Amino acid sequence: SLSCRLYCEEEKDPKRRSCQTVLAEALDVVVRSFAPILPHLAEEVFQHLPFKKDSEGVFRTGWINASSAWKKPGIEEAIEGACAMRDSFLGSISGKNALEYEVVIVIEPGLLFELMEALQAEETSSVSQLNEIMMASQTTLLSELPKETPADANIIKGTFLINLEGGDIREESSYEVIALPIAKAKCPRCRRYTSDSSSTPCPRCLKVLAGKGST
């Protein structure tokens, strides 16, 4: 989640800095958008931005100019696909705390699986972009249903239509989402259930804390 990136990652960690970059870019676009109808408010916000020192003001720096680097092929579809799977997961736990679960996502090899791999390179992760979107404590990405799946597991099936290159690439893929109660303890620092003991931070937090102690 956004709060976990900002408050739990190391200060200069790329995941934390990338989150700050997105927030800064979003704020810049919003302020420039309402500047024509709320000029005084826009100028006041712009003058107090900590990352724009010695600014000439919102009206002297041009209109919205989004970088082409934001338009990476497949990213939008990857996020939309992950959000569809998240909705399936959250719907299966009926309003319970998502952090008390680990999610298993099963997708047959293909374009959708490759898009999800862009969000999570590891098979299982508690810190990947995919896991952040799922809002769980841990996410596992597989190409086939694991043999050790409990017989009473609630398996949610769904499909997602991928539309790339203006419709030149269209592929409907099926997926399965399994929500399993996580067996680990809640980390006292990041509040995710990724620790071996409720009195000990999880491996990620221990690494961050060790880094702070050495600086």
Side-chain angles (χ1 to χ4, degrees):
S1 65
L2 184 145
S3 60
C4 193
R5 276 194 178 199
L6 289 176
Y7 300 114
C8 297
E9 297 291 354
E10 195 171 357
E11 183 178 0
K12 295 184 179 181
D13 188 284
K15 291 192 289 293
R16 182 176 185 273
R17 296 304 298 271
S18 66
C19 182
Q20 290 178 310
T21 299
V22 170
L23 290 174
E25 188 73 14
L27 179 60
D28 184 84
V29 170
V30 169
V31 172
R32 292 181 192 277
S33 297
F34 67 64
I37 56 175
L38 295 170
H40 298 294
L41 176 60
E43 187 63 33
E44 183 176 0
V45 172
F46 208 78
Q47 292 298 331
H48 285 83
L49 296 178
F51 49 87
K52 286 187 180 295
K53 299 296 183 182
D54 302 322
S55 172
E56 295 183 358
V58 67
F59 293 102
R60 295 185 178 181
T61 53
W63 186 234
I64 299 169
N65 185 24
S67 170
S68 59
W70 295 95
K71 299 179 181 179
K72 292 185 178 180
I75 291 297
E76 182 178 352
E77 286 73 19
I79 299 298
E80 289 180 352
C83 287
M85 296 173 199
R86 179 191 63 194
D87 292 344
S88 296
F89 160 57
L90 295 178
S92 71
I93 62 175
S94 303
K96 296 178 182 177
N97 184 1
L99 289 175
E100 296 179 358
Y101 290 83
E102 61 175 310
V103 182
V104 178
I105 300 174
V106 182
I107 309 171
E108 291 185 357
L111 186 53
L112 182 59
F113 187 87
E114 293 175 5
L115 290 175
M116 293 305 106
E117 280 189 315
L119 301 177
Q120 178 170 301
E122 311 90 340
E123 182 176 284
T124 300
S125 178
S126 60
V127 297
S128 68
Q129 296 179 67
L130 179 58
N131 188 66
E132 289 181 354
I133 294 172
M134 298 304 294
M135 300 169 61
S137 278
Q138 180 174 286
T139 297
T140 298
L141 179 62
L142 301 172
S143 59
E144 59 182 13
L145 198 66
K147 296 179 180 179
E148 63 273 14
T149 302
D152 59 346
N154 185 15
I155 302 176
I156 308 299
K157 297 183 179 181
T159 59
F160 181 74
L161 177 62
I162 300 169
N163 193 342
L164 292 171
E165 305 293 340
D168 291 340
I169 301 176
R170 292 173 61 88
E171 181 178 302
E172 186 173 54
S173 301
S174 59
Y175 62 83
E176 295 175 318
V177 175
I178 310 169
L180 301 172
I182 198 159
K184 293 186 177 181
K186 181 191 288 186
C187 171
R189 182 174 181 270
C190 70
R191 318 304 290 176
R192 288 182 175 176
Y193 290 77
T194 51
S195 180
D196 294 329
S197 168
S198 59
S199 60
T200 306
C202 66
R204 187 273 303 274
C205 287
L206 283 174
K207 182 179 179 181
V208 173
L209 293 171
K212 286 183 177 180
S214 61
T215 56

